[in-house]
């Protein structure tokens, strides 16, 4: 099962590597500019602004500080976040369905996530919302598996769901958890 998951992830990673140098899409340009301003020490909304929440700008700043302020760096950060999201989806799913079904869920997520129709080549806010929502769900499910550190796990789950909201307003629905 884990070999199948690794093969699937390798397939998705190869597709993502193929898209590394794809030019920034319009929203990506905005996010990258705001992320660059943050890296230069300017708080959000001082030199440039819009009506979006700042979570995605900070995620871009983090990605660009690690992988470089380039198109390839941004898309490499997206590729790694996609891989982590696939693993999280597998770990969450295997608690509810068979392990092979969990691999299929993770594979579907990864493959559909590269779709041109969904602008999968671009590092949009939705990728970050999904990442934090999956982290929140994963931690929240751990509360039910063990009684240890319940308060800490609830706090972490709430933090991750809040970060999902801060990346994009639609993440508000995960706060229900």
């Amino acid at each position: 099962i884990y070999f199948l998951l690794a093969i699937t992830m390798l397939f998705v990673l190869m597709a993502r590597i193929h898209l590394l140098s794809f030019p920034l899409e319009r929203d990506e340009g905005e996010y990258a500019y705001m992320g660059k301003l943050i890296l230069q020490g300017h708080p959000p909304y001082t030199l440039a602004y819009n009506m979006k929440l700042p979570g995605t700008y900070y995620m871009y700043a983090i990605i660009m500080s690690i992988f470089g302020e380039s198109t390839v760096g941004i898309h490499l950060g997206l590729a790694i976040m996609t891989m982590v999201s696939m693993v999280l989806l597998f770990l969450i799913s295997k608690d509810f369905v068979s392990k092979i079904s969990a691999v299929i869920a993770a594979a579907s997520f990864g493959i559909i996530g590269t779709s041109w129709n969904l602008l999968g080549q671009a590092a949009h806010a939705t990728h970050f919302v999904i990442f934090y929502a999956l982290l929140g769900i994963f931690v929240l499910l751990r509360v039910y598996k063990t009684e240890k550190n319940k308060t800490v796990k609830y706090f972490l789950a709430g933090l991750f769901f809040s970060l999902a909201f801060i990346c994009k307003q639609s993440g508000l629905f995960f706060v229900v958890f």
Side-chain angles (χ1 to χ4, degrees):
I1 292 300
Y2 296 104
F3 178 73
L4 287 174
L5 179 63
I7 293 295
T8 303
M9 290 177 66
L10 183 63
F11 178 76
V12 172
L13 183 61
M14 288 176 10
R16 288 269 174 221
I17 287 173
H18 175 70
L19 298 170
L20 286 180
S21 61
F22 192 82
L24 294 180
E25 189 262 343
R26 68 179 167 81
D27 282 349
E28 283 182 301
E30 171 194 332
Y31 299 143
Y33 178 67
M34 295 289 270
K36 184 177 180 112
L37 290 175
I38 290 169
L39 289 175
Q40 292 173 351
H42 303 287
Y45 314 114
T46 54
L47 297 179
Y49 64 93
N50 66 16
M51 294 182 65
K52 296 176 185 168
L53 294 171
T56 301
Y57 306 141
Y58 279 102
M59 289 303 298
Y60 264 73
I62 291 168
I63 288 171
M64 291 189 306
S65 70
I66 296 170
F67 300 109
E69 297 179 22
S70 67
T71 302
V72 171
I74 291 167
H75 291 148
L76 183 59
L78 172 64
I80 291 170
M81 285 193 65
T82 300
M83 298 297 109
V84 173
S85 295
M86 287 177 71
V87 170
L88 286 169
L89 185 59
F90 170 78
L91 293 173
I92 293 166
S93 299
K94 76 181 179 88
D95 290 342
F96 298 100
V97 295
S98 67
K99 287 183 179 178
I100 190 68
S101 298
V103 169
I104 292 169
S108 300
F109 168 79
I111 293 167
I112 292 171
T114 60
S115 170
W116 292 98
N117 296 337
L118 301 175
L119 294 175
Q121 78 283 0
H124 279 271
T126 308
H127 294 286
F128 304 119
V129 171
I130 291 168
F131 173 73
Y132 283 120
L134 287 172
L135 273 174
I137 292 168
F138 178 76
V139 171
L140 193 59
L141 289 174
R142 295 302 154 250
V143 170
Y144 300 107
K145 290 204 170 236
T146 178
E147 293 292 319
K148 294 180 183 177
N149 302 321
K150 252 183 163 178
T151 305
V152 172
K153 290 176 185 172
Y154 280 131
F155 173 78
L156 285 174
L159 176 68
F160 291 136
F161 291 136
S162 298
L163 289 171
F165 167 67
I166 290 171
C167 286
K168 190 172 185 177
Q169 290 86 339
S170 60
L172 178 65
F173 296 105
F174 290 105
V175 174
V176 173
F177 280 102

